[in-house]
Amino acid sequence: MATQEWSIQEIARVAGTTSRTLRHYDDVGLLAPSRIGSNGYRYYDQHCLVQLQRILLLRELGLGLPAIADVLDGERDSAAALAVHLEWLRQERDRIDRQIASVTTTLRKLEGGEQIMATEALDGFDHTQYKDEVIERWGKDAWERGDDWWRSLSDEDKHEFKQRQHDIAGDFTQALKDGKSADSDDVQAIVQRQYDWIAVGWQGKRPTADEFVGLGQMYVDDPRFRANYDRHGEGTAAFIRDAMVAYAERVLR
Amino acid sequence: MATQEWSIQEIARVAGTTSRTLRHYDDVGLLAPSRIGSNGYRYYDQHCLVQLQRILLLRELGLGLPAIADVLDGERDSAAALAVHLEWLRQERDRIDRQIASVTTTLRKLEGGEQIMATEALDGFDHTQYKDEVIERWGKDAWERGDDWWRSLSDEDKHEFKQRQHDIAGDFTQALKDGKSADSDDVQAIVQRQYDWIAVGWQGKRPTADEFVGLGQMYVDDPRFRANYDRHGEGTAAFIRDAMVAYAERVLR
DNA sequence: CTTTACCTTGACGTAACGTCAACTTCTACC
DNA sequence: GGTAGAAGTTGACGTTACGTCAAGGTAAAG
């Protein structure tokens, strides 16, 4: 009546896997042998073989062992498990597709002789870097509006926007080097440009005095902003903050 | 002149990663801090920041840390590394696409009410299971011819082919139960069907006496074949072998 | 009785960190 | 100057699904 039994290697060959895998499935409680000899040997029967073949089938479809265990234990319908898995597979494929697109783009740029690494990386104004802070300070809507706006820009516009900021920061540094005070007219003129630049980034919403002061303080507190400004010259971030505070007092209040 | 230095957390925030990651990169030799304080603290400078941003850029493109290390050490051109990586990404996508197709097919069958697990899994005649043995015994060409032939069959033909084998094995088991001897005329008639069935699988090439005996012995020796035949009843494999040996002596020689 | 094949458990390695845990150091405040 | 809190350090374990030795006991064959 076919009450046959196999040793661990035999059933491994029957099912097309390895004995190590069988021991692993035993260890993690996925598939226990039907009998264990007094010598400790594992023996498997027909029922085990069926279970094992189910396991291997689901595994080939890419399911993880815990998910397979759920199906075998009857805690989850196999169709449901496969449907969930299918969704995961689709997301994985999308992720890889996006990576392929990124790599392809990068490769084209490299072939065009662009030095992506040194320049773009040093740019320091990848706006997505500030996502969490923006959301925390001004809410999720503000971030999404800003993000939409940023994405809507052409590469040229983006570059121009960042270039403006770069020039402003450079001028601040020069003024600092020249010994000008933060509330001098020269420096306040630079602050005016900074204010306008921010207003563009805010899509026309002009910062209040408090908001402007808050921004200036953040340039000093947040190491990412500080690094970006101090890149032009040490102390620039603090200098800009002082100038912004003076501007807020004199012009915005 | 912006000879700035950052602590580990600061540079982590600047670059948008974590201090743990920085320590890991230090551990694996990917990025060492520019200076280590007498207290053991890690400090990073501008150059480190640039390197780190290169690392993170490549990592986002999916490269592994060893590959990134090669690029940073100048041992490999970044374009070359990306090209290799792109090929790997494409293969991954293909693999996932195949899995998606498999899962989708399986899901459709399940919706159609088919009990894939219990039946197909128990079928026991997934011919790819025997690939290694076939190649070892009869060469690679034999396997490829057989594989092509098998793939060319429709699902119905495949089912019919397997059904024939199933019927034959069942008849052998019945004969064994009935106490018939392996060289009796009744049993030899079944062997005749078995012989014809094999010839179909060999695409008309009819086995010699030695080949036929060898096959019969393999049914007993190879646990996968033995399991398949003994599934019908214990001892069937050995009985079939005996019957095949008798047939080889009487008919084929 | 010995060789040979097969079985056992235990432990490390894999990719790239996340996450405690235990302990030391810096900074700020009273 | 003492102390709390933030930040730093070095381990070490966990993650996925086994592959791959290593050391030692068991079984089948000559």
Side-chain angles (χ1 to χ4, degrees), chain A residues 195-214:
Chain A
Y195 184 81
D196 292 340
W197 175 78
I198 290 169
V200 172
W202 288 22
Q203 298 149 81
K205 198 276 180 199
R206 304 185 75 76
T208 66
D210 284 345
E211 287 169 343
F212 199 55
V213 169

Side-chain angles (χ1 to χ4, degrees), chain B residues 84-149:
Chain B
V84 169
H85 180 55
L86 185 58
E87 186 52 32
W88 147 261
L89 282 175
R90 291 214 173 102
Q91 287 182 13
E92 263 300 289
R93 190 184 50 184
D94 289 349
R95 196 180 62 82
I96 291 186
D97 275 345
R98 284 197 300 273
Q99 280 204 345
I100 287 177
S102 297
V103 172
T104 304
T105 303
T106 306
L107 268 175
R108 258 206 298 273
K109 286 185 183 173
L110 281 176
E111 283 169 6
E114 289 186 48
Q115 287 304 319
I116 296 158
M117 309 297 186
T119 60
E120 261 191 39
L122 248 183
D123 188 301
F125 249 93
D126 172 11
H127 85 300
T128 62
Q129 218 176 71
Y130 310 103
K131 184 176 177 181
D132 294 344
E133 276 66 25
V134 172
I135 289 177
E136 189 186 342
R137 279 172 178 256
W138 294 289
K140 202 176 175 192
D141 285 349
W143 162 257
E144 282 169 357
R145 277 202 314 275
D147 194 44
D148 287 347
W149 165 75

Side-chain angles (χ1 to χ4, degrees), chain A residues 182-249:
Chain A
D183 58 356
S184 68
D185 288 346
D186 284 354
V187 172
Q188 288 297 302
I190 307 176
V191 178
Q192 175 69 51
R193 288 159 56 204
Q194 170 88 353
Y195 184 81
D196 292 340
W197 175 78
I198 290 169
V200 172
W202 288 22
Q203 298 149 81
K205 198 276 180 199
R206 304 185 75 76
T208 66
D210 284 345
E211 287 169 343
F212 199 55
V213 169
L215 273 176
Q217 190 58 44
M218 190 170 70
Y219 291 167
V220 174
D221 290 341
D222 190 314
R224 290 171 298 183
F225 280 93
R226 181 147 46 86
N228 185 60
Y229 285 113
D230 282 6
R231 178 160 57 97
H232 299 270
E234 209 156 357
T236 301
F239 183 65
I240 294 179
R241 179 204 51 194
D242 295 342
M244 287 170 72
V245 169
Y247 182 86
E249 296 302 321

